[in-house]
Amino acid sequence: VQLVESGGGSVQAGGSLRLSCAASDYTFGQDCVGWFRQAPGKDREWVAGTYIDARSTYYADSVSGRFTVSQDNAKKTVYLQMDRLKPEDTAMYYCASAGDYWFRCSGSDRYTYWGQGTQVTVS
């Protein structure tokens, strides 16, 4: 499974961005798809996750109420809508997937496939 993120960029605090995670030659189903971020000098952080077939979504406390995960009807793209962005949201953002479900689709250890990342800068 190849995952490609897009939609990153530079935005002022309070602004919005929508990231996309597209799967090539694969249709999500019984998969967790997660969003992670890593800022320079910091550990990778789980931001949000979704279990595709159930359309259930989960969020880290740091982004709950500001970020929203969704999917397209074809189940080939997962989105991360980021609103009310803060400077501390600045990081490289990655999506990941795994053909499995676990509690809240959280953490990184069980994800198998990773995208290349897209940079988000909030000033």
Side-chain angles (χ1 to χ4, degrees):
V1 178
Q2 285 190 314
L3 303 177
V4 179
E5 301 100 333
S6 61
S10 297
V11 64
Q12 291 189 335
S16 298
L17 285 171
R18 188 176 81 157
L19 306 184
S20 299
C21 174
S24 61
D25 299 323
Y26 185 74
T27 300
F28 295 123
Q30 296 181 16
D31 297 88
C32 274
V33 177
W35 286 97
F36 296 80
R37 65 187 181 188
Q38 188 166 21
K42 294 189 176 182
D43 293 336
R44 183 169 56 195
E45 174 190 14
W46 175 81
V47 172
T50 182
Y51 184 57
I52 296 296
D53 272 0
R55 292 183 175 266
S56 52
T57 56
Y58 315 96
Y59 302 95
D61 289 344
S62 57
V63 306
S64 182
R66 299 189 298 121
F67 290 12
T68 304
V69 178
S70 62
Q71 59 181 280
D72 70 344
N73 289 334
K75 296 184 178 180
K76 294 187 72 65
T77 302
V78 175
Y79 304 99
L80 182 68
Q81 176 68 40
M82 305 186 296
D83 298 317
R84 304 198 304 277
L85 282 161
K86 305 175 181 180
E88 51 263 45
D89 294 318
T90 295
M92 185 71 79
Y93 282 71
Y94 301 88
C95 68
S97 72
D100 196 5
Y101 170 80
W102 61 94
F103 181 65
R104 291 173 55 84
C105 295
S106 65
S108 61
D109 293 349
R110 295 179 66 170
Y111 282 99
T112 307
Y113 304 102
W114 292 82
Q116 83 290 351
T118 186
Q119 178 67 37
V120 171
T121 302
V122 185
S123 58

